[in-house]
Amino acid sequence: MRVLLVEDHKGLREMIAAHLRERGFAVDPVSCGEEALAAAATAAYDAIVLDLGLPDMDGMVVLRRLRGGRHPGLPTLIVTARDSLEARVGGLDAGADDYILKPFDLLELDARLRAVLRRPGARLAAIYRYGDLGFDAASRTASVGNASLDLRRREASVLEELIRAGGQIVVKDALEERLYGFDDDVSGNALEATVSRLRRKLTAAGSAVHIETTRGIGYRLQIGSGP
Ligand code: CA
């Protein structure tokens, strides 16, 4: 789950980014409208957390440009001061957006972001199942049969992408794009290492599902004990 965070206040931006990363999101933090548009031109995002008062352009202009480009239904959480919101509330699309007033609690931000992600057309809709595996996208918890599976953040993200694909191949590049923001320090085999750990945990939990490597292409879940 990859989020574009647009906030010009450095301290707030860093605090929100750290919090969302801790909660399992890949986050690209940017500080102005131009940077937001540049990031969105090269990456696909599941949601945007957007400050309206930006130094170079109004946040609503950023949102209109993103929606008019390659992110038409982008779930959006607007972060703003009350006076700024009242002038612009007419720009909100009730289906895709929510807003949160500064100052706010980080847990509330997280809850609101998950709420916009759960709306129709957004990704965070469901509990996914494949074989004996389950993944609850809202709580980010995984299970094998009735037992919960203890996963680290990136392992959970890999499982989430694979289980959503329902046994279809997930291309490695797409998986990396969903998992890592631009600023994340990603070594060449970070994804392979995460997949290896996830495989060991699935085996240890006695799952009937394994992760199959399609060499040079990507990964997929398959039912059966595997190679
Ligand atoms: Ca601002």
Side-chain angles (χ1 to χ4, degrees):
M1 205 67 72
R2 188 164 174 177
V3 174
L4 179 59
L5 167 63
V6 193
E7 167 62 66
D8 61 312
H9 187 289
K10 185 166 185 281
L12 190 55
R13 182 173 66 247
E14 288 173 353
M15 191 176 70
I16 294 172
H19 175 75
L20 292 179
R21 284 180 181 134
E22 206 173 281
R23 304 289 296 173
F25 293 97
V27 182
D28 288 328
V30 299
S31 61
C32 67
E34 284 301 337
E35 285 177 14
L37 295 172
T42 57
Y45 291 102
D46 298 303
I48 179 173
V49 175
L50 177 66
D51 177 27
L52 288 187
L54 297 170
D56 58 343
M57 65 182 82
D58 190 298
M60 292 309 290
V61 173
V62 175
L63 187 55
R64 274 197 294 275
R65 289 224 220 146
L66 291 177
R67 291 248 174 94
R70 58 181 287 204
H71 294 78
L74 185 66
T76 302
L77 179 62
I78 286 169
V79 176
T80 191
R82 182 175 296 278
D83 54 347
S84 180
L85 179 76
E86 281 167 0
R88 298 179 178 92
V89 70
L92 295 187
D93 166 356
D97 305 328
D98 196 3
Y99 62 87
I100 186 167
L101 296 175
K102 294 179 182 177
F104 54 83
D105 184 279
L106 282 172
L107 291 175
E108 191 189 349
L109 177 96
D110 183 52
R112 293 288 191 88
L113 181 58
R114 288 178 188 281
V116 296
L117 281 163
R118 271 195 294 272
R119 289 177 186 181
R123 282 174 33 122
L124 198 64
I127 294 173
Y128 298 100
R129 298 204 174 279
Y130 187 82
D132 58 8
L133 286 183
F135 188 86
D136 182 329
S139 64
R140 305 192 58 72
T141 51
S143 56
V144 173
N146 292 323
S148 70
L149 185 62
D150 186 24
L151 298 180
R152 288 159 68 177
R153 179 164 70 88
R154 293 232 158 95
E155 295 159 7
S157 297
V158 168
L159 182 63
E160 178 178 18
E161 297 302 326
L162 292 176
I163 203 168
R164 287 187 63 243
Q168 300 298 305
I169 293 172
V170 181
V171 175
K172 205 182 145 195
D173 285 355
L175 202 49
E176 285 177 335
E177 177 168 309
R178 298 251 68 79
L179 253 57
Y180 304 108
F182 290 128
D183 295 342
D184 287 338
D185 189 16
V186 187
S187 68
N189 62 359
L191 179 61
E192 284 82 352
T194 302
V195 169
S196 295
R197 284 196 306 272
L198 183 55
R199 274 192 177 119
R200 281 199 296 276
K201 288 185 180 181
L202 291 179
T203 304
S207 176
V209 176
H210 71 276
I211 301 170
E212 184 180 272
T213 303
T214 308
R215 208 158 292 284
I217 302 175
Y219 302 98
R220 64 175 173 176
L221 295 181
Q222 290 287 282
I223 295 174
S225 59

